[in-house]
Amino acid sequence: MSEHTRLLFAPGDLRAEGVDDASLIAAIGEVESAWVQAQAATGLISAEVRAEAVTGIEATVRELTGDSAALVTLAEDAESGGNPVIPFVTAVRYRLAPAAARIVHRGLTSQDVMDSALGILIGRAFARIDADLEAITATLVTLSENHAHTLCLARTLTQPALPTTFGLRAATWAAEAEEIRRGTPQPATLQVGGAAGTRAAIREFAGEATMTLLREFAVAVGGPDAALAPVPAPWHTDRIRVLTWAGHLAACVALGSTIARTVLIGTRPEIGELRLSATGASSAMPQKANPTSAVLLHRNGMRAPGALATVTTAAAEAVEERSDGAWHAEWAPLAELMVLALSSLSLLEDMVAGLSVEPEAMRRNLDAASPGIYGERLTTAFGDRLTKTQIQEIIVPGGDPSARLAAALADTPGPTPPRADLEGFFAPEDCLGEAEDIRQTIISAIADRPTDPAL
């Protein structure tokens, strides 16, 4: 059993560093070490016992993360208890003298450690996601500014609709990225409730020092700033929190997929409106330049819904003080969503940075869809004078739509505009509505983003 086998099923997942078995074990070790450090800082154990216990935890983490076979053995041992914390703690205690072994994991339950370890990984993922979204948004804003007046064809339900600008399209993408960044959920917090969320065992050995112990634990994991935050109540039954994390991760994947879908259309040779700086080769057709980054983003978009559905089901199935399977069901899809979000944003950042726009091709496709794309404008301007049949006759392909419009108006009551005005009626530059104003509104809203990183 190779530690890398699964990655061959999903090229691109390697971009999501820090979401694997070794990372989870390291995070579990961080939690257990922090709990020992907190006991020492509170005066509940001696410095000697603390040093021995921490050394044992760190040695166990090194052994497991440095040997894939050891991780496989741990996974096998985890089956009997249903989680990896139990065999991990057993392996640590095996290294220690009785005094140090007793204080490792003292007062905690497996869910405390597993939830806290996942919270650590989520917090780190969110920090990377925030930085990636920042860079992606900035690139898209620049792309929008550079193509504020680049005309292109708007398509609805795959069909030609109206003239628009690529600048507005890119601004809309930037707005989505910024909206996801601003909607980042509350950073992950430690989960400490004990066997049933009452902290009974912790209170038993820590007594009046319980809150001090919990605060020192938070500081040991999160640094000095954690001392300023209130000690969180146990959230072992609040799986909506986990679902919120999952939803944020899924939104990151959806962002990459939706942009990639438009890019995949635009890079088709017969459309030719977009070009990627980095493409992939074909094993059989040397003439091909495959838009690989966009393909992988689209693929990720199809992988995420299943994982999100599982987390949603697990949240809905949560019962009592620890669920019989629903809690366990969260871990794999949550890890999958972290991998998908991190890899998607990394791929997306590269894709948009290397995205080139072909204005001539955009104009060619826009002209090819004319004059049909002016049907809405004709109906709005002359619907009170022209019948639906007359309008359909004006916008048939070929010929001179301005002449057909003039002739139709001449046959109906009311003034006929000058021929020059009618010729301009079918100019895409004059049929953009509020496109540029909307684009500028979006860009201004992004520029006026809140400075508080928590917002």
Side-chain angles (χ1 to χ4, degrees), residues 132 263 372:
D132 288 347
V263 170

Side-chain angles (χ1 to χ4, degrees), residues 421-441:
D421 291 346
L422 293 182
E423 290 177 350
F425 190 90
F426 296 96
E429 297 86 350
D430 296 330
C431 193
L432 294 173
E434 299 290 315
E436 178 57 14
D437 290 339
I438 295 169
R439 190 195 71 81
Q440 290 186 18
T441 298

